[in-house]
Amino acid sequence: MGLSTAYSPAGSRLATAPLAAAAARRGSVQHLRPRRPLIATVRCSVDAAKQVQDGAATIAAQEPARHKTGRLPRFGVFCPTYDLTSDDKTKSWKKLVTIAVSGAAGMIANHLLFQLASGEVFGQDQPIALKLLGSERSLQALEGVAMELEDSLYPLLREVSIGIDPYEVFEDADWALLIGAKPRGPGMERAALLDINGQIFADQGKALNTVASPNVKVIVVGNPCNTNALICIKNAPNIPAKNFHALTRLDENRAKCQLALKAGVFYDKVSNMTIWGNHSTTQVPDFLNAKIDGRPVKEVIKDTKWLEEEFTMTVQNRGGVLIQKWGRSSAASTSVSIVDAIKSLVTPTPEGDWFSSGVYTTGNPYGIAEDIVFSMPCRSKGDGDYELVSDVLMDDFLWERIKKTEAELLAEKKCVAHLTGEGIAFCDLREDTMLPGEM
Ligand SMILES: NC(=O)c1ccc[n+]([C@@H]2O[C@H](COP(=O)([O-])OP(=O)(O)OC[C@H]3O[C@@H](n4cnc5c(N)ncnc54)[C@H](O)[C@@H]3O)[C@@H](O)[C@H]2O)c1
């Protein structure tokens, strides 16, 4: 397939010139770039690929350099020298799409990266470049991930690079899938988690603002994902707020599964499933608007008590129960739901249906508080953008619960005021609603 491997030495190519160009494109709002980390991004470049024609020769050739610099060569980072227009099979492929993934050495990414590289997400004519962001601690593991990608011979995977500096890894990204976050340690207050992870997403929002494609689409997975997405939005004023999503698709998929099981139908018969609000136990799986085989759920499942109590609680607590059983948070099904979330934005939503995503509330037609990230029903033409669905039913049961999850998000917002430029944080989270998927 003509992929040639470039084992480029760590720190060999710093991104100062491209960064300046990206900053110039952006115009006025600039953020001061934080201190460059000690280990710079290992970037894929055709130059680097040309340096080496043969992997064994490369390693041998780099040994002296390694001894001189004390740095190890980075494995798994590659870019091709192969010309895509040179044979019939690849001639009709689309322009390369650059996808940045944070937390790339983590459990969710370990599934997701291979789904992305296979063409399952963006299509079999869409070549991709993967730019993997890890923490300093996970850099070596990141090399292992990159090596596995390389060894999988995915024809559509044109480049892999790794790094720990978001200003380098997010450069020119068309998509940013922000998975990396710190898990909550034993005894850690939820407010402390909001602060620690919020700081990560403030930094990453600034980096996206400065170096990513101006129309980058961002999906925030790391928890607490709604508030992390809000922090990103506030730190990336040059990117439309509409481009940011917090992942609630896993909750939607869980809700569809439970309804299908109860109704005794195949899961693809369940449509119009909305998760409202926060990706936490206050989330609201909406059985009022959902349909089974085109009919309102309440016409098919007449057991209202089950819908209001068991169904709702099962969906809300699914992540926590899974952790108890599995000993870790959901990874494979989360990855599948990220794939679903992206596909929902790049393919037209089937007529009459919708999907759930945590999106920015300003201008929403439901009367939900403005300026938070709230899961709501969306439709897309398949162009990466979405519109909110306006024709939804509301009743007292649904509205009461929507207000509860809204109150939680407004309280979370106050906890991170120092990260959104809105003054001094004041954190008064009444209940500790364990986040599905959170350790
Ligand atoms: N929204 C959802 O539906 C959903 C579902 C499941 C899990 N999650 C959340 O996703 C996150 C990741 O889950 P996981 O199972 O992959 O965790 P994991 O611990 O296996 O992986 C996280 C990775 O992120 C890295 N990391 C930490 N800080 C980073 C930073 N600043 N930049 C880049 N990388 C960083 C870590 O080194 C680690 O490799 C968690 O916050 C989890 O709660 C969300």
Side-chain angles (χ1 to χ4, degrees):
M1 188 45 237
L3 292 180
S4 76
T5 303
Y7 295 104
S8 53
S12 63
R13 296 179 62 83
L14 301 179
T16 42
L19 272 173
R25 276 200 311 278
R26 291 268 158 191
S28 55
V29 180
Q30 291 298 323
H31 293 283
L32 283 180
R33 194 173 183 286
R35 188 177 58 85
R36 190 186 292 281
L38 294 175
I39 309 162
T41 299
V42 183
R43 307 176 70 218
C44 168
S45 75
V46 175
D47 284 353
K50 278 187 189 145
Q51 276 170 18
V52 186
Q53 299 302 321
D54 174 289
T58 310
I59 295 173
Q62 285 184 344
E63 278 303 312
R66 170 184 162 177
H67 290 135
K68 239 188 271 165
T69 61
R71 286 176 177 144
L72 290 167
R74 292 285 167 216
F75 290 88
V77 172
F78 71 81
C79 59
T81 52
Y82 182 84
D83 177 9
L84 285 182
T85 58
S86 69
D87 75 27
D88 285 342
K89 194 175 167 204
T90 56
K91 241 179 214 160
S92 59
W93 280 6
K94 295 177 184 161
K95 193 171 154 275
L96 189 81
V97 162
T98 299
I99 307 163
V101 180
S102 83
M107 289 192 302
I108 296 170
N110 194 35
H111 296 271
L112 179 66
L113 294 172
F114 296 85
Q115 290 179 280
L116 290 168
S118 73
E120 178 189 340
V121 186
F122 288 96
Q124 295 300 331
D125 58 351
Q126 179 59 73
I128 63 166
L130 285 176
K131 303 182 89 179
L132 312 182
L133 180 71
S135 57
E136 207 158 331
R137 275 178 57 189
S138 67
L139 188 65
Q140 198 175 327
L142 215 52
E143 277 187 275
V145 173
M147 288 167 74
E148 282 219 87
L149 283 165
E150 189 178 35
D151 295 344
S152 300
L153 302 181
Y154 289 114
L156 292 161
L157 182 58
R158 307 307 302 166
E159 295 181 22
V160 174
S161 51
I162 63 177
I164 60 168
D165 180 355
Y167 282 83
E168 292 184 1
V169 175
F170 292 166
E171 199 186 325
D172 294 329
D174 300 301
W175 288 82
L177 311 176
L178 305 185
I179 304 171
K182 293 246 169 358
R184 180 154 58 163
M188 189 192 281
E189 292 285 323
R190 175 117 175 262
L193 184 79
L194 274 163
D195 183 49
I196 292 169
N197 281 339
Q199 191 60 60
I200 292 174
F201 288 86
D203 293 345
Q204 294 186 358
K206 289 183 181 111
L208 287 168
N209 195 54
T210 310
V211 300
S213 152
N215 199 27
V216 61
K217 303 288 187 289
V218 184
I219 300 185
V220 178
V221 180
N223 277 321
C225 62
N226 294 56
T227 297
N228 288 340
L230 180 70
I231 293 168
C232 263
I233 289 172
K234 296 292 179 178
N235 284 278
N238 294 340
I239 299 169
K242 229 190 151 189
N243 289 20
F244 291 81
H245 298 258
L247 185 80
T248 55
R249 186 53 170 266
L250 177 59
D251 308 301
E252 175 185 327
N253 289 353
R254 287 168 171 166
K256 279 181 164 165
C257 177
Q258 294 306 311
L259 289 178
L261 287 173
K262 179 75 175 174
V265 298
F266 196 45
Y267 65 84
D268 70 349
K269 296 278 186 286
V270 184
S271 65
N272 305 81
M273 186 70 239
T274 314
I275 299 293
W276 297 91
N278 202 0
H279 175 68
S280 77
T281 56
T282 65
Q283 67 178 265
V284 190
D286 174 357
F287 55 83
L288 179 65
N289 288 285
K291 292 183 179 154
I292 296 175
D293 226 351
R295 293 167 61 207
V297 163
K298 284 173 106 176
E299 272 179 40
V300 180
I301 301 172
K302 300 206 184 315
D303 186 349
T304 306
K305 190 169 167 6
W306 180 85
L307 287 169
E308 289 184 354
E309 294 174 13
E310 205 174 319
F311 164 70
T312 302
M313 280 174 57
T314 300
V315 177
Q316 290 172 332
N317 294 306
R318 185 80 167 173
V321 173
L322 192 137
I323 288 170
Q324 280 167 13
K325 303 279 179 198
W326 193 212
R328 57 173 174 76
S329 67
S330 53
S333 59
T334 305
S335 169
V336 168
S337 74
I338 298 169
V339 170
D340 290 342
I342 300 171
K343 278 183 172 170
S344 288
L345 292 168
V346 298
T347 47
T349 309
E351 187 68 33
D353 200 1
W354 61 67
F355 58 91
S356 304
S357 188
V359 292
Y360 193 53
T361 50
T362 296
N364 79 86
Y366 318 110
I368 292 162
E370 307 242 310
D371 203 29
I372 50 177
V373 171
F374 202 88
S375 184
M376 299 184 281
C378 305
R379 259 198 280 264
S380 175
K381 295 189 179 76
D383 54 0
D385 204 356
Y386 68 90
E387 60 196 37
L388 291 173
V389 176
S390 49
D391 48 338
V392 293
L393 303 170
M394 203 56 79
D395 65 7
D396 289 346
F397 180 88
L398 184 55
W399 188 243
E400 199 184 294
R401 275 152 187 80
I402 284 177
K403 292 310 277 181
K404 192 174 172 207
T405 194
E406 178 197 79
E408 180 176 54
L409 280 166
L410 288 169
E412 285 189 16
K413 184 182 169 186
K414 284 192 185 151
C415 295
V416 298
H418 59 306
L419 299 172
T420 56
E422 283 164 21
I424 298 165
F426 170 73
C427 209
D428 181 24
L429 293 170
R430 294 282 155 95
E431 272 178 75
D432 197 352
T433 54
M434 192 190 71
L435 299 154
E438 186 194 66
M439 294 291 230

